[in-house]
């Protein structure tokens, strides 16, 4: 689970990322899930887009991909979404530390 500080950090990193996952009129397929899974393993942070012709909205698509890949939904704005999943073998992104509760 990401903290709000970590989410804000990841949102700032995502502004420079290219959109690499596209959900179109074919809807959510295993190929899209596999593409997102591979990209999350390689990059940890990915940006996706749901086209107007799709029969699913961006929030649903982001949550479905996140559930099937074990990722966290960082942000959904309009037709775009950002997902994050830590690569345990070779981490690329160092998240800000979560503050300990007293």
């Amino acid at each position: 689970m990401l903290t709000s500080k970590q989410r804000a950090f990841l949102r700032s990193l995502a502004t420079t990322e290219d959109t690499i996952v596209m959900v179109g009129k074919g809807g959510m397929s295993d190929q899209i899930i596999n593409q997102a899974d591979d990209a999350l393993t390689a990059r940890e942070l990915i940006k996706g887009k749901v086209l107007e012709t799709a029969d699913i909205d961006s929030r649903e698509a982001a949550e479905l991909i996140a559930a099937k890949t074990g990722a966290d939904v960082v942000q959904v704005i309009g037709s775009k979404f950002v997902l994050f999943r830590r690569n345990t073998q070779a981490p690329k992104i160092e998240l800000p530390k979560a503050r300990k509760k007293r």
Side-chain angles (χ1 to χ4, degrees), residues 23-69:
V23 179
K25 66 181 177 182
M28 194 62 64
S29 67
D30 288 338
Q31 182 180 7
I32 291 172
I33 301 294
N34 291 337
Q35 178 188 6
D37 189 44
D38 293 343
L40 283 164
T41 300
R43 299 175 179 220
E44 293 186 327
L45 186 70
I46 63 169
K47 191 185 288 187
K49 181 176 182 174
V50 177
L51 303 176
E52 292 178 12
T53 57
D55 58 349
I56 189 171
D57 72 3
S58 54
R59 170 68 61 186
E60 291 171 326
E63 289 176 357
L64 183 63
I65 293 171
K68 292 198 176 200
T69 61

